[in-house]
């Protein structure tokens, strides 16, 4: 008996079909990508505000225990390590040291504050990492 050998036509995508799919993916990435990255910037600003709020609560607890906010030379480190001159310190007020802002820079603490004259200023320079700025690059603070 003779065996019939049949060959199936190789199935796959043509080069043209692959190029069309790549163009469509490129167009979608061009439309969706910028909107997605815009939201990443907003989330970093929201994170910075939340961290400033959390640090502010720790500073307020410090003031309740000690009677005043940390001295400028002690800064935010006073929230995790007892300053030598503070007998009523009842910390640590943070589980870990003060976090860096979302852009990898330390938060700035100023006592007494310029914006909050009788209290402190706690702020980040924001995405541009320099003082001042406007819109997305504005400083983020507790004022």
């Amino acid at each position: 008996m003779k065996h019939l050998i049949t060959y199936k036509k190789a199935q796959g995508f043509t080069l043209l079909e692959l190029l069309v799919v790549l163009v469509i993916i490129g167009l979608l990435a061009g439309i969706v990508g910028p909107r997605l990255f815009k939201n990443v910037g907003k989330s970093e600003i929201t994170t910075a505000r939340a961290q400033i709020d959390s640090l502010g609560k720790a500073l307020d607890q410090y003031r309740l225990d000690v009677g005043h906010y940390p001295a400028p030379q002690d800064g935010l480190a006073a929230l995790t390590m007892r300053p030598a001159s503070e007998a009523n310190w009842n910390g640590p007020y943070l589980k870990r040291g003060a976090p860096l802002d979302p852009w990898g820079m330390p938060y700035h603490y100023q006592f007494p504050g310029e914006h909050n004259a009788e209290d402190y200023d706690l702020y980040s320079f924001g995405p541009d990492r320099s003082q001042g700025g406007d819109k997305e690059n504005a400083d983020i603070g507790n004022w």
Side-chain angles (χ1 to χ4, degrees):
M1 287 187 109
K2 292 184 177 180
H3 294 291
L4 295 175
I5 301 174
T6 58
Y7 294 99
K8 290 185 177 180
K9 183 178 178 184
Q11 294 186 1
F13 298 107
T14 65
L15 181 60
L16 182 61
E17 291 170 330
L18 290 174
L19 288 175
V20 168
V21 169
L22 287 175
V23 167
I24 290 171
I25 291 172
L27 288 173
L28 287 174
I31 293 170
V32 174
R35 291 183 184 181
L36 180 66
F37 287 118
K38 181 172 67 172
N39 290 334
V40 169
K42 286 181 184 177
S43 69
E44 289 174 332
I45 291 171
T46 302
T47 299
R49 286 189 178 128
Q51 287 177 331
I52 287 171
D53 183 57
S54 177
L55 289 170
K57 289 176 182 172
L59 285 165
D60 290 339
Q61 185 62 46
Y62 178 97
R63 185 182 64 88
L64 287 173
D65 289 347
V66 176
H68 56 83
Y69 289 108
Q73 65 271 16
D74 295 331
L76 297 176
L79 298 174
T80 53
M81 296 180 354
R82 176 192 304 264
S85 61
E86 300 300 342
N88 294 332
W89 190 86
N90 195 23
Y93 301 96
L94 296 173
K95 290 182 181 179
R96 297 180 209 115
L100 298 176
D101 70 13
W103 304 279
M105 303 297 289
Y107 285 99
H108 300 275
Y109 169 75
Q110 184 176 353
F111 177 76
E114 290 180 19
H115 294 91
N116 297 315
E118 64 266 356
D119 288 337
Y120 59 89
D121 287 345
L122 184 61
Y123 56 96
S124 165
F125 286 149
D128 64 352
R129 296 181 176 101
S130 61
Q131 192 169 13
D134 57 354
K135 296 183 183 176
E136 301 90 32
N137 291 324
D139 296 347
I140 303 161
N142 65 332
W143 51 85

